[in-house]
Amino acid sequence: MFCTAERPLSLSRWLAVPFLFASAVYGLLGVAGLATGSFAAIPLSAVVTGAATAVAVATSSTVKWHAPWQRTWLRWPYLAVVLAGGVLVSGYEVPAALCTLVGIPVLLVLVAQCLTSPKTAS
């Protein structure tokens, strides 16, 4: 199995999940745009932000919350703000080269994190 299910996430890593996911997706879109010879801009999409928010919801059960109240009072408002922010910037265009330069390293880090085995408790 590649990704370890139920690997505990720190709160700070979980807060970055939607942004890292969206960056990786836009990196792949940038590569596709450059590969086809189209150096046009990639429009930001609320659909990508929605998918990134869904990934954050799916991984939120594995977060090491510092206090029980955070599970409700930090998780859901944060995700709502991320989703609303994505809807607000939807349609804004980013150059394909910039998407590639930012997104591909993020994608490589995410893949590397997924393929490494979790540290076992000593």
Side-chain angles (χ1 to χ4, degrees), residues 10-98:
S10 68
L11 181 58
S12 59
R13 284 188 180 186
W14 178 76
L15 292 172
V17 164
F19 301 103
L20 295 174
F21 179 85
S23 296
V25 169
Y26 286 120
L28 292 173
L29 289 172
V31 167
L34 295 175
T36 59
S38 167
F39 296 101
I42 307 292
L44 299 181
S45 170
V47 174
V48 173
T49 306
T53 304
V55 169
V57 168
T59 58
S60 66
S61 64
T62 64
V63 175
K64 292 187 221 174
W65 300 100
H66 298 295
W69 64 267
Q70 290 177 335
R71 189 171 200 69
T72 301
W73 297 105
L74 177 63
R75 176 172 58 171
W76 296 115
Y78 173 72
L79 294 172
V81 167
V82 168
L83 186 59
V87 171
L88 288 175
V89 300
S90 184
Y92 181 76
E93 294 185 347
V94 179
L98 181 61

Side-chain angles (χ1 to χ4, degrees), residues 102-119:
V102 171
I104 294 305
V106 169
L107 179 64
L108 294 175
V109 167
L110 290 176
V111 169
Q113 285 291 316
C114 188
L115 294 179
T116 58
S117 60
K119 295 178 183 174

